[in-house]
Structure formats: C-alpha cells, structure tokens
Amino acid sequence: MFARPLVYLMPAAAVALYAAVCLGLPVNLYLSLLLFGLFLLSAGLFVQHRQMFTVFCLLAAAAGALSGLAAFDRLVAAPCRALNGRNMVVTATVLEDATVYDDSQRAELLLDNDDRLPGTVRTLCYLPPTDTPLLAGDRIEVSLGFYIAGNTEGFDRAAYQAANGCFITSSYNKDEAGNPTRFALLDSRRNSLRFLPQRIARRCGESIRQALPPREAGLLCALLLGDKSTLSEADALSLRVAGLSHLIAVSGLHIGFLAGFCYLLLGRKWGAYLSIPLILLFVPVAGASPSVIRAAVMYLIPAAAFLLRKEANTLNSLCAALGALLLINPYSIASLSLQLSFSATLGLILFADRMQRRLTRPLAACAKPVKKLAALVVGALSCSVCAMLFTAPIVLTSFGHVSVLSVLSNLLVLPVTAVCFIGGLLLCVLAAAAIPMAAVLAAVLRPLLGYMLGVAGWVADLPFGQLHGTDGFSAAMMFVCFAALLLWLIAGKRVKWRIAAPCFGLAMAALIVSGAYYAQTHFSVTYLPCGNGQAILVSDSSRYVTLIDCAGDGGYRDAAAAVREWLLWHGYDRVDALVLTAVDKGHARDLPTLLEQVEVSEIWIPDGSKESKNNKELLTRVRAASPKIVAEKQQVLSSVVPITLFPVVEGKLGVLIDEQVLVLHSPTQKQLDAFWDSGERYAAAELVLSERNLSDAALLRRTLAATQAERIVIQAGYAGFMPSYEGVPVRSPYISGEIQQNYTKGASA
C-alpha cells in the first residue's frame, strides 16, 4: 500500500465512478464528502493496523471519487445541461475539422463566454453545409437550439458525448424554407499555434491520399491518425469482424511503434530524449483519445524515470494514467475506448510475460535462431491472448459479438503494421519536404497495406470464429477457456491438471453438445435497426437465411449495409430468399445495393405490384431478377423454417413465421382494417407492425384480439410510441438496437 498507493486507490475510485456514471448510483455531494472525511479519519486511527488501514483507504478513495464527480457535475456538467431546450445566437470557435454529411456538417464548438452562458461550454453541434467544410480555428456566428442527445439503437449518445467532455448537443435553427435562421463565418484562426496539431493531421492526410490509392490511403490514415473518414465501410467492417479494429484506434501499440523507432534510430538514451517531444506532439495530432493519452502517460513516466535514473512501476504508471483521465473528466469512465484500452493493458501487464515464459520454456534446448523466432511468435500470441482476457467480455456485452479469430489475424499482420506505421510517418515527412523519395516509399507501402486489407477480408469471410452475446453457449465456452487459461497462468503447477483438465474438457464437450442440440431445435428472428425502414432476418442451423424487406431511412441507415454486416458476423455467404412485402421505397429502398453486394437466390413479391414514378426503378430491378409472384397463401420453399406468405391486399404481403411471428407492417390502416373484415385470421405470439399502426387505438385493439399477440415489435418507425399497450410490451430496434428472438421450431404445433 505504501510502496504503490495508486495501485490500490485508483481501482477503488474507478469502481465507484463506474457505479455512479454507468450504473446510475445516486451521488450526493455533502454525503460523499462526509463519508470521505470519516474514512480518512478511520484510516488515520488504524494506521498501525495494515489491513484495516488499507480497507479504509480504499473506502476513502471511493468516497473521494464520488465527491469529485458530484462537484464536477455541479460546476461543469449541470450548467451545460441547463441549456437544454434553449435557443440563442452565439459566437463560437470550431475545435476540430467538421465531419460532412449530405445535408449538414458536425463539429465540436467552444462557445464564447458571455452573460447568457454558465461559463465555458463545449457542444457537439450540427451546422449547415458550407462551400468548403469548416476547419479547426474557424470563428462562426450561428443560431442554435440546445438539447440532450437521446438513446437510440441501443446507443446512449448523451453518455458517449459526456465521456468526451460534451454535456450538451446543439443544432442550427432553420426557417420555414429549411435555411439557417442565422449563420455566418466571422474569421479564422486556423494558423494559430493552438490548432497546429489539427493542421499537421490535415496535411498528413492530404499527403497520404495523394501518394496512395483510395483503399490503401484510407487504411494508412486510420492507422496513423485514427482518421476513419476515408476508410471504406467494407474495409472497416472486415477489420472489425477480423478483430483488427484496434489497429485503427490509435493506442499503446502505436506509441510503442513510435518509441521503438526512436530507439532503433538513436539508441536507448537519445531515443528516449527524441521520443518524448514526438509523443507529446503525436497525442493531439492523433485526436487525444483516452487510449492514446493512457499510452502516452504510461510511456512518459518510465521514460522520464529512465532519464532521471529512477525506478518506475508499470502497474503504477497505468493507474496514474487512469487517475489523470478521471481527474480531467470523471464521466470518461463510461468511454468504451478507455475501458478497452485499460483492460487490454492490464491483461498485458499481469499475464503476457508470464505466458511467454511458460510457452518458451520447452524450447530452452533449441538452437538460438529457433528460440529467437519462437520468441517473436510466442510474444505476439501472448500479447493477443492476454489482451483478450479482459476486453472480450466488454466487447461481447457492448457490441453483441466478439471475434476469437483476432489472435490469428494479429499474428499475421502485426509485424507489417509496425512497418506501415513508421513508413507512413516517414512518407508524411518526405511529402511535406517535397522529396521524390516519398513516391518510392509509397510504392513500398502499397503492397503491405494491401496485404493487411487482404488478411482482414480473408479472416472476416471465414464462416466461424465469432461469438455472439445472444448465444449463451458460446459465451459459456469462452468463459470456460478463459478460466482454464487464468488458472494455468496464476496457479500453474500448483493445480492438479490430471483432475482439472478432464473437468474443463467435459464442460466444453457438454456445452458443445448442448449448443448443437439447441441450434438444431431453434431458429432466430432478427430485427435490424433501419429507422423508418425495415429488414428482418430468419435463420437457423441449416444455414438458410430468409430476409423480409430491405429498406433503410434514406439517410445514413442503410439496410443493405446492415444486412451484409449481419451476414458477415454470422458466417453466411448469401440470402436464400428475399421476401418483399411491398415493392416500394418503404420496403425495398436499398434492394439495388443489396443485389450488388450479396448473392440472393430467389425473390418473392406480392401480386399486383403497380408501377409508379416512385418505385419504377425498383420494380424494374425486381422483375429483372425473375421473382416469384405471391397471389395466394403459400410457403417459401427454400426455407427450412415454415414461412407462410399471404396477400393482405393487392400489392401487399403478410408473413407468418412458424405460426409464432406475424409480420403486418406493409398495409395501411384502412387496408389492415379491410383485411380483418374479410374474415382472415392468423395467430402468433409476436406481432410486427409499423409505427402508424399504433395511432388507431380501435384498429390496434382489433388486431391484437385477432392475432392473440403477446408482444409487439415496431420494425418500421421512430421513437414516438409507448413502451407498452394495454399490458402488451412494445419494442423497437430504433430504441434498443438490433433485436434477436429465438424460437423453438414447431412450438406452436
């Protein structure tokens, strides 16, 4: 405790902040201050009793962290949130280069302090498009409306922005014609020293994009600067599925590459002198994310200790970095970037060296070249596995899936990544100096970057290796494997492996058999978040996939991209049957893109689909694919799960999935009412409607009575509906994100 106080105190403070910020533990400033004082006093009284002293110090650290959070909230966060609902004309400085969308641009603003504002206010703001995008340092005057970001698609935007220091969101006000009521570019301070990192990053990005083809340039910009704006969606998806997304999130790996290059260039001592200013510059250039700040602090402490001939403890440095970030902004404890970065580093510190020593011990008698080669491979393997120990549960619970193939992909690309990172830095320097060698270096980097993209694509296309949060058996198998690994690393020879190994083996075998049986007897229905569009996937262990509709909202929610990502994560290579409940933009807007990117075996459409100016292109594309016309009730023959299609009215279909899920979101209110008048009845436990179906209480009540539904899913719509209706729960992927429901095959029978 006395030798390394931060190692004890910071985890206690972090746990307390996590409970308050992420779990909603109520915090009172005066109560937490009182407890802080009592625990400090108690620690003083028990200073001679080591265990009691440690306990009270931990409690004091937790209470102190909560006091700091309450004070920070009162002085910084709450005044910003008090702007919620207000409209005003402000002058502000753009803090970062704007992200450009089709109808707006988004940037972080620092508002000028005046009598109307509570103090210094940073806001994430949506601004009108300009001829040239706004850049860091621009000064603007704009009429803004302030609001607190909502929770949509399972993503708490307010918490995410608070973790990054923005406690209020804003958007420019429009007049009736859709034009900004007040917006003007006043002047620019782009050339000031304050915005030098942004200018360097911008210049580096331009140099890379001029020297390399688009795909390779997008990867190098992401690898070097954390700028993913030019990385294609397909490549970004492949990197995520292959478990390589950490390469494009600047972190300790990149700091290590930079420091290692300095040591290789100038040796240990002078390399340390050179690396310190370079890293201090690199942090803001790379965006100053929690991961890169953590890595920088962790490097700078031991580097300074080395130059001063002092000892530095790695675990203590990690806790110091965590303390610095939480002191600046206690809400950053909710940042996934921070959680993943510190979790991965903790796994490396605690177990990587130990695992490498144990794996290389049997090679002690081998020749020296063999041992060196084995040490490189085993070192990369140990780092990848130990980083996964603590990050995999976070990734699984936060994103719903995790790649267990990341160990393989990291082994294949890490050596090349180091070369590309250093080569990218040199390329930017040579390009800035207009040295012809830049073109030669770009020619060397191009195949290496292509190799990284190729490995990511190859690993991502493998039809296995993904664990899903909805699959309890896979999660349990991961837990058993990690438990065995931790037991081996911590206890080692003290464990009776003759007993433990068969027990772990039996547990894995039981989980595999149980998982296989469950997969054979169940199927899943997945609702993808598509705004006011819809896309529903039906799948089971037979590898058949049926897609019902493919429509996004016409904005950034692209149903085709969402379907492709789902197929890639779940190891499917095609859609066996595509059912369009109506051939219009509301149900098939993204069909052309889907047909370009994904193999679709057959298409089913309703009889009587009429051509109009809004669906002419869609209908032409569908007819070119020789679709099957549904004029009466029939089953999708390519699906193992019984899927029944039936006309609701001319040009509109309903879908019944194994008599358990009934999809009725295509008909209008009048059409649905007329359908029930016809005497048709389809019962199912889950009823899928569009948001408009909730507006007519009498029709909704009639529909629930006719279907005997126990749950409602609003697949096509936004957030304007109630969480339940007369005791029947209502869910929507717009609110909760992707919804997957598992059903027993033939349970209704």
Side-chain angles (χ1 to χ4, degrees):
M1 174 69 186
F2 292 103
R4 297 185 299 172
L6 288 178
V7 174
Y8 290 85
L9 300 179
M10 280 313 306
V15 168
L17 288 176
Y18 184 86
V21 175
C22 302
L23 304 181
L25 177 72
V27 179
N28 181 277
L29 175 61
Y30 301 108
L31 178 60
S32 55
L33 282 173
L34 176 62
L35 291 175
F36 177 63
L38 289 176
F39 291 143
L40 275 183
L41 179 61
S42 301
L45 295 175
F46 287 95
V47 70
Q48 299 299 325
H49 193 290
R50 178 172 295 182
Q51 292 181 341
M52 293 299 296
F53 174 76
T54 301
V55 169
F56 281 115
C57 283
L58 296 180
L59 292 173
L66 294 178
S67 301
L69 172 65
F72 183 89
D73 188 72
R74 177 172 294 192
L75 297 174
V76 178
C80 293
R81 293 182 183 130
L83 294 172
N84 183 38
R86 294 182 61 184
N87 294 277
M88 63 178 69
V89 176
V90 299
T91 55
T93 302
V94 179
L95 296 179
E96 60 181 14
D97 293 356
T99 302
V100 180
Y101 302 107
D102 291 338
D103 57 352
S104 65
Q105 54 184 326
R106 187 188 68 188
E108 188 175 317
L109 303 181
L110 178 65
L111 306 187
D112 288 354
N113 194 0
D114 58 31
D115 295 338
R116 299 169 301 159
L117 297 174
T120 301
V121 176
R122 292 170 58 197
T123 176
L124 193 66
C125 183
Y126 291 87
L127 296 162
T130 50
D131 293 336
T132 57
L134 295 171
L135 299 178
D138 287 345
R139 299 262 305 148
I140 61 173
E141 183 180 61
V142 60
S143 174
L144 296 180
F146 294 92
Y147 62 94
I148 295 175
N151 186 345
T152 56
E153 298 180 7
F155 178 51
D156 190 341
R157 284 167 170 76
Y160 171 78
Q161 293 173 17
N164 289 289
C166 286
F167 301 97
I168 193 70
T169 310
S170 57
S171 181
Y172 72 99
N173 292 319
K174 306 176 185 179
D175 58 22
E176 294 181 357
N179 299 314
T181 56
R182 184 75 171 272
F183 178 77
L185 180 62
L186 302 177
D187 57 65
S188 181
R189 299 173 184 173
R190 300 174 186 175
N191 295 323
S192 69
L193 185 62
R194 176 182 183 181
F195 300 107
L196 176 63
Q198 288 89 339
R199 294 201 302 276
I200 294 175
R202 194 182 309 130
R203 179 58 182 159
C204 289
E206 291 171 357
S207 300
I208 291 170
R209 287 187 286 272
Q210 289 173 2
L212 291 167
R215 286 190 69 205
E216 288 80 359
L219 176 59
L220 188 55
C221 284
L223 175 67
L224 196 63
L225 307 169
D227 177 13
K228 308 176 188 65
S229 60
T230 55
L231 185 67
S232 71
E233 290 185 5
D235 288 334
L237 175 58
S238 295
L239 289 166
R240 288 199 304 272
V241 177
L244 294 174
S245 55
H246 64 283
L247 298 182
I248 56 176
V250 182
S251 61
L253 185 69
H254 305 75
I255 296 291
F257 291 156
L258 184 55
F261 177 67
C262 293
Y263 295 153
L264 183 65
L265 203 63
L266 298 176
R268 183 74 171 91
K269 181 179 179 180
W270 292 106
Y273 279 116
L274 176 63
S275 65
I276 290 174
L278 283 180
I279 287 173
L280 289 175
L281 176 62
F282 178 72
V283 168
V285 169
S289 65
S291 58
V292 74
I293 293 175
R294 185 273 308 159
V297 173
M298 284 194 66
Y299 171 76
L300 292 173
I301 291 175
F306 168 76
L307 294 175
L308 296 172
R309 299 182 181 180
K310 302 290 184 181
E311 290 290 334
N313 180 270
T314 308
L315 198 57
N316 215 46
S317 301
L318 178 66
C319 292
L322 179 60
L325 286 169
L326 296 181
L327 187 64
I328 295 170
N329 179 13
Y331 284 91
S332 64
I333 192 66
S335 167
L336 276 177
S337 172
L338 181 145
Q339 294 173 16
L340 292 172
S341 176
F342 279 88
S343 299
T345 307
L346 183 62
L348 294 174
I349 292 173
L350 294 179
F351 300 117
D353 286 343
R354 188 179 305 183
M355 183 175 180
Q356 184 171 1
R357 287 196 304 270
R358 293 190 179 182
L359 289 176
T360 54
R361 193 174 297 160
L363 304 174
C366 295
K368 192 173 182 180
V370 175
K371 287 196 290 186
K372 284 188 174 181
L373 180 61
L376 289 174
V377 176
V378 169
L381 176 65
S382 301
C383 289
S384 297
V385 171
C386 292
M388 280 188 65
L389 280 174
F390 297 134
T391 58
I394 297 175
V395 172
L396 191 63
T397 54
S398 300
F399 300 106
H401 34 63
V402 63
S403 172
V404 297
L405 294 174
S406 61
V407 175
L408 171 63
S409 54
N410 277 280
L411 284 174
L412 293 174
V413 305
L414 274 180
V416 178
T417 304
V419 175
C420 290
F421 180 83
I422 299 303
L425 288 177
L426 294 176
L427 175 63
C428 294
V429 173
L430 293 174
I435 298 176
M437 279 295 294
V440 177
L441 183 55
V444 173
L445 290 175
R446 180 176 178 178
L448 298 178
L449 293 165
Y451 166 78
M452 292 177 63
L453 292 171
V455 169
W458 172 69
V459 174
D461 286 335
L462 294 176
F464 54 84
Q466 314 300 331
L467 297 182
H468 304 280
T470 54
D471 184 358
F473 296 100
S474 295
M477 283 188 280
M478 181 183 73
F479 174 79
V480 171
C481 290
F482 282 2
L485 178 61
L486 284 172
L487 189 63
W488 175 62
L489 291 172
I490 295 172
K493 294 181 179 179
R494 296 193 298 273
V495 178
K496 295 182 179 180
W497 289 105
R498 291 183 179 180
I499 299 174
C503 290
F504 283 119
L506 286 172
M508 287 293 292
L511 288 170
I512 291 172
V513 172
S514 300
Y517 174 77
Y518 184 87
Q520 288 290 333
T521 57
H522 289 74
F523 69 93
S524 67
V525 178
T526 305
Y527 306 92
L528 300 180
C530 299
N532 62 349
Q534 55 272 318
I536 304 172
L537 291 147
V538 184
S539 61
D540 71 347
S541 60
S542 65
R543 312 301 297 169
Y544 285 94
V545 177
T546 301
L547 172 63
I548 302 170
D549 291 330
C550 185
D553 59 7
Y556 72 88
R557 297 180 185 87
D558 186 331
V563 170
R564 183 177 180 275
E565 180 171 355
W566 186 92
L567 293 172
L568 199 58
W569 272 111
H570 291 79
Y572 295 99
D573 59 358
R574 69 180 186 277
V575 171
D576 295 281
L578 169 60
V579 177
L580 298 178
T581 58
V583 186
D584 55 32
K585 288 187 176 181
H587 300 84
R589 184 191 304 272
D590 298 317
L591 173 66
T593 306
L594 180 75
L595 295 178
E596 291 173 1
Q597 298 179 346
V598 177
E599 178 187 348
V600 178
S601 300
E602 61 183 24
I603 301 177
W604 300 71
I605 66 171
D607 187 26
S609 298
K610 296 179 180 179
E611 184 176 302
S612 67
K613 64 177 182 179
N614 292 324
N615 75 342
K616 181 178 180 179
E617 183 180 347
L618 286 172
L619 203 54
T620 301
R621 189 66 182 269
V622 169
R623 287 170 176 166
S626 302
K628 297 184 178 181
I629 310 298
V630 181
E632 58 184 15
K633 183 169 72 173
Q634 63 184 98
Q635 280 198 347
V636 177
L637 302 178
S638 63
S639 176
V640 175
V641 179
I643 298 179
T644 303
L645 310 180
F646 57 91
V648 178
V649 294
E650 189 177 50
K652 299 288 180 71
L653 288 181
V655 183
L656 181 63
I657 306 171
D658 199 18
E659 299 185 3
Q660 300 187 69
V661 179
L662 180 60
V663 180
L664 284 175
H665 56 52
S666 63
T668 64
Q669 301 291 77
K670 291 182 178 180
Q671 290 170 344
L672 186 58
D673 204 19
F675 178 70
W676 297 130
D677 286 338
S678 69
E680 292 285 349
R681 292 292 182 269
Y682 292 91
E686 186 153 283
L687 179 62
V688 184
L689 300 172
S690 63
E691 189 175 17
R692 64 170 178 263
N693 297 131
L694 300 182
S695 61
D696 188 332
L699 178 59
L700 179 58
R701 194 175 295 112
R702 182 181 186 185
T703 302
L704 289 173
T707 59
Q708 301 177 356
E710 300 170 0
R711 301 178 302 276
I712 298 174
V713 174
I714 302 302
Q715 171 62 6
Y718 286 103
F721 59 86
M722 69 291 286
S724 65
Y725 177 81
E726 295 186 357
V728 178
V730 180
R731 299 183 299 166
S732 171
Y734 180 80
I735 299 297
S736 61
E738 180 182 303
I739 298 173
Q740 179 174 317
Q741 186 72 38
N742 295 327
Y743 296 92
T744 303
K745 292 180 179 178
S748 60

